Amino acid sequence: MAKYTILTPAGASFTTQGGGYDYEMEALEGLDAEIVECPATEEGFIAAAPKADAVYAKGMKFNAAMINALSRCRHIALGTVGVDYVDVAAATAKGIPVTNCPDTFIEEVADHAMMLLLAAHRRCVEQDRMVREGRWGEGRPQLLTVPRLMGQTLGFIGFGRVARATARRAKAFGLHMKAYDPYVEELTLSALGVEPASLSEVLSTADFVSMHLPDTPETRGFLKEHHFRQMKKNAIFVTTGRGPTVNEAALVKALEEKWIAGAGLDVFEIEPTRQDNPLHRMPHIILSPHNASASSRFDPARKRRVGQELALTLQGKWPLSCVNPTVLEKSSLRRWQPYSMERGPNS
């Protein structure tokens, strides 16, 4: 029996093929650690929880009861940016650090956000259908009503890593940029050519509004009907963050009643979307199935990062990216990183 047991629910996360744990084990080699699967149910996890030195959280929700069943766990590791499927408050109360992968596939999501913006602006899906359906002559007249991209305003709600990477891309298209994020200092925005703004200013002046908030108790249902009413009639709404941060009924109403002109959506309030979702029937909308982060490097990169974080904590060291860093000072883990603003807990 190995010295360290890393408990994880059976089955794959995001991928359908599974593929074992070779990537995760690269960093764990030589530490006498093993990844042990348990049933992907609350009862199955709780039964196995007492033997876990660490948890590889994937494939299901991890509630307070499951976390409270962990008696010797020193780390809960996630292979995603979002941490909404783990009760972080319960883990914090238990003194267990929770890590994510905050910088592993930022570029892919930024690419996708820019793709949704451009595709919605230039009516790509509608134009494609015109060609396929023999309506060639309708294409140019439609675009003759669309303003050129250069000089328009892109407004960000939330200005974390993905928004910043998107801003670097948008700058090349000649977009003026504004951002609302009360947790980011103004110098971070201005260094990227982005103007600090209030939420109402972003909503009322932007031709494109790009949503980047994480799913937390504070942000759930953040954008409501009165926010969409503030937006310009020609505005296009883009989101690659988390679906529950937007009141989807309000978004549907805004599109149906033409308060805004269109949308590019990668995330939804309920996923997968139901086939009777009104968004499916709307012409001037680009939809994708919450896959903005996907690329050929997605699985190897995030799985290796999980292994690296687990290896650090099992060796008694602070992890790289802790979403509840207040637990670290009180833990038996020791700080080893330099005091850099770009690296370390919660970076």
Side-chain angles (χ1 to χ4, degrees):
M1 183 176 178
K3 181 179 179 181
Y4 300 114
T5 297
I6 301 165
L7 185 65
T8 192
S13 168
F14 290 100
T15 52
T16 55
Q17 73 275 15
Y21 300 100
D22 290 346
Y23 292 122
E24 293 90 342
M25 290 303 299
E26 287 177 4
L28 294 162
E29 187 177 356
L31 294 183
D32 195 19
E34 64 176 344
I35 298 176
V36 176
E37 292 187 336
C38 67
T41 63
E42 180 178 341
E43 296 77 14
F45 182 88
I46 289 175
K51 67 182 179 183
D53 297 289
V55 171
Y56 181 9
K58 61 176 176 61
M60 62 183 296
K61 295 275 188 180
F62 293 80
N63 59 32
M66 297 164 69
I67 291 169
N68 288 332
L70 297 165
S71 56
R72 70 185 198 196
C73 178
R74 64 174 72 176
H75 180 189
I76 298 174
L78 289 72
T80 56
V81 176
V83 297
D84 43 290
Y85 58 96
V86 171
D87 190 330
V88 177
T92 302
K94 191 85 173 170
I96 302 173
V98 179
T99 62
N100 65 339
C101 299
D103 53 1
T104 305
F105 22 81
I106 299 303
E107 305 300 336
E108 288 90 335
V109 183
D111 289 342
H112 202 88
M114 203 65 206
M115 178 274 292
L116 290 173
L117 185 156
L118 293 170
H121 174 64
R122 296 293 291 180
R123 313 292 182 93
C124 284
V125 170
E126 294 171 89
Q127 294 278 319
D128 175 87
R129 288 173 182 157
M130 289 175 188
V131 175
R132 295 174 188 273
E133 296 170 4
R135 297 184 290 125
W136 184 278
E138 297 177 30
R140 183 171 292 272
Q142 184 190 56
L143 291 187
L144 286 174
T145 67
V146 174
R148 76 172 185 175
L149 189 64
M150 178 181 281
Q152 294 199 68
T153 297
L154 167 59
F156 296 98
I157 300 176
F159 202 66
R161 282 187 170 88
V162 171
R164 296 173 203 181
T166 305
R168 287 191 288 270
R169 288 155 173 77
K171 184 178 181 180
F173 287 88
L175 286 165
H176 175 62
M177 294 178 285
K178 300 179 179 182
Y180 165 74
D181 193 324
Y183 301 103
V184 175
E185 62 179 17
E186 288 194 8
L187 289 176
T188 299
L189 279 70
S190 59
L192 290 170
V194 179
E195 178 186 338
S198 66
L199 177 60
S200 60
E201 185 180 0
V202 166
L203 293 171
S204 62
T205 63
D207 301 290
F208 304 92
V209 175
S210 191
M211 181 72 162
H212 295 276
L213 296 184
D215 181 11
T216 68
E218 294 75 27
T219 63
R220 213 154 290 152
F222 182 88
L223 274 193
K224 300 177 175 64
E225 183 174 317
H226 70 276
H227 293 117
F228 287 106
R229 286 185 180 274
Q230 292 179 56
M231 293 170 63
K232 297 168 71 172
K233 295 284 188 183
N234 67 296
I236 290 174
F237 178 69
V238 175
T239 179
T240 51
R242 284 292 185 270
T245 62
V246 178
N247 182 312
E248 199 165 286
L251 172 60
V252 168
K253 187 174 183 180
L255 290 162
E256 287 179 338
E257 299 188 9
K258 300 189 185 307
W259 305 343
I260 63 175
L265 312 173
D266 183 57
V267 293
F268 306 86
E269 203 165 37
I270 297 174
E271 298 178 354
T273 56
R274 293 166 51 97
Q275 285 304 300
D276 61 356
N277 189 317
L279 294 170
H280 290 195
R281 303 191 300 272
M282 296 181 182
H284 189 196
I285 297 199
I286 309 291
L287 307 177
S288 59
H290 197 158
N291 63 353
S293 60
S295 72
S296 61
R297 71 183 294 276
F298 176 78
D299 262 359
R302 71 187 185 89
K303 289 179 177 181
R304 285 189 172 109
R305 179 60 172 268
V306 167
Q308 290 164 3
E309 295 283 39
L310 288 166
L312 284 171
T313 56
L314 292 179
Q315 293 177 90
K317 300 177 181 179
W318 282 19
L320 287 170
S321 301
C322 184
V323 301
N324 55 344
T326 55
V327 306
L328 294 175
E329 290 284 2
K330 301 173 185 177
S331 73
S332 60
L333 304 174
R334 67 183 185 278
R335 174 186 274 276
W336 61 274
Q337 307 103 315
Y339 285 80
S340 168
M341 292 298 289
E342 297 299 326
R343 187 180 183 200
N346 208 28
S347 66

